[in-house]
Amino acid sequence: ESAIDALASNPTVTLGSNTTFPTNSILQLKHYSRGTSYSDSSIGSSWTNIPSFEVAITPSSASNKILVIANFRAGNNGTTSHNGLNFQFRRDIANAGYNNVGNQLQSNSKDNYGYCITHVMTLIDSPNTTSEIEYTVGYADIRAATGGSIFIGSIDTGIENAYESVIMAMELKA
């Protein structure tokens, strides 16, 4: 049996301990999907994590970076333009508590028709650790002007299905 035939029937490659990868190679990928809707009728000015929407990754080297991508649908039913509703990545290293990382995403997600709007967030993080890191997305009404409720996945399941929300973390070689 040739090496090509063996690889076709058993596509497993074992790398040696001295294998090196080019800079920015993806060393590992973790992801989490949430298929159910969530709502909160008391949006406050302090940050709240979207429940059951987090991903954990443990970097193999403290110098490596983590690329985080979140794709979720969100909306609300308040009476204002909702220009105070923000989303932000939140990070917890070694269960020490969540902190905001990266830029805030301002969401003008009021929709009188009862639909959610797709949001995509990205972050290249330099956590400088080999401890486990948990990433999630938080939300807050930073201007206390939003009112109404926030919805993740769908606003009215009679109008639209609950859309899958996905969060991914990828370790990138430094």
Side-chain angles (χ1 to χ4, degrees), residues 4-142:
I4 292 174
D5 291 333
L7 188 56
S9 64
N10 185 13
T12 301
V13 176
T14 303
L15 301 175
S17 60
N18 61 348
T19 302
T20 58
F21 293 92
T23 300
N24 293 323
S25 293
I26 298 173
L27 300 179
Q28 64 173 313
L29 172 115
K30 304 289 183 169
H31 66 83
Y32 180 80
S33 298
R34 178 191 170 105
T36 58
S37 294
Y38 164 75
S39 66
D40 182 354
S41 60
S42 57
I43 306 168
S45 59
S46 60
W47 289 95
T48 302
N49 294 345
I50 298 172
S52 300
F53 190 58
E54 60 273 331
V55 63
I57 192 166
T58 303
S60 59
S61 170
S63 62
N64 290 342
K65 296 182 184 212
I66 307 295
L67 171 61
V68 188
I69 302 171
N71 183 331
F72 58 97
R73 291 178 56 86
N76 54 48
N77 64 356
T79 58
T80 67
S81 65
H82 299 84
N83 58 6
L85 179 61
N86 281 21
F87 295 101
Q88 185 157 15
F89 279 115
R90 306 195 76 219
R91 172 182 75 191
D92 179 3
I93 298 175
N95 294 314
Y98 281 96
N99 292 298
N100 292 350
V101 290
N103 295 320
Q104 293 180 11
L105 171 66
Q106 185 179 32
S107 175
N108 293 320
S109 57
K110 179 185 184 308
D111 186 336
N112 292 328
Y113 300 103
Y115 293 95
C116 289
I117 298 167
T118 299
H119 295 73
V120 178
M121 297 173 59
T122 59
L123 168 71
I124 297 179
D125 192 22
S126 301
N128 195 29
T129 186
T130 56
S131 296
E132 183 181 74
I133 309 165
E134 190 166 280
Y135 291 96
T136 190
V137 174
Y139 61 91
D141 183 357
I142 62 165

